[in-house]
Amino acid sequence: MTKGTQAFGKRHTKSHSLCRRCGSRSFHNQKKTCAQCGYPSPKTRRYEWSEKGKRRKTTGTGRMRHLKSLPRRFKNGFREGTVAKPQKASA
């Protein structure tokens, strides 16, 4: 048997499927772990030797629903539930 052209026709099974956490096709079906994000491990897979990989997944690449409003709220001392005083009309 050869390892080349003829053997490629026999490849019809998938070893990786979609990961429910990161969405990439990196979830190994037999190992039951994701090669990209490390699911089902609670911590996301991340290594110091992969600078570009860290850049793709770091804070600021998503919506930042909570973090993007923090500087504005910090500036006002995290006040909540107050109403601004009505400004006096200038004559």
Side-chain angles (χ1 to χ4, degrees):
M1 285 300 293
T2 59
K3 297 184 216 169
T5 311
Q6 301 93 316
F8 281 91
K10 299 180 188 298
R11 299 187 181 192
H12 57 80
T13 57
K14 293 188 175 84
S15 59
H16 292 87
S17 61
L18 291 178
C19 173
R20 63 175 71 170
R21 180 158 73 183
C22 65
S24 67
R25 190 169 161 270
S26 306
F27 187 78
H28 199 282
N29 293 328
Q30 287 186 324
K31 292 183 186 177
K32 297 287 185 240
T33 55
C34 178
Q36 173 119 11
C37 71
Y39 180 84
S41 169
K43 291 187 177 180
T44 310
R45 177 181 171 275
R46 177 186 170 128
Y47 293 105
E48 291 297 321
W49 47 258
S50 177
E51 190 178 336
K52 286 167 79 172
K54 283 165 60 177
R55 199 185 306 153
R56 288 184 204 113
K57 302 175 197 173
T58 190
T59 312
T61 56
R63 284 175 62 182
M64 295 206 320
R65 284 173 284 189
H66 175 68
L67 272 179
K68 74 178 159 193
S69 65
L70 271 185
R72 171 176 47 83
R73 289 172 52 224
F74 170 77
K75 183 176 66 178
N76 297 318
F78 296 100
R79 65 175 178 220
E80 286 181 334
T82 58
V83 182
K85 295 177 183 176
Q87 293 180 340
K88 296 177 181 177
S90 59

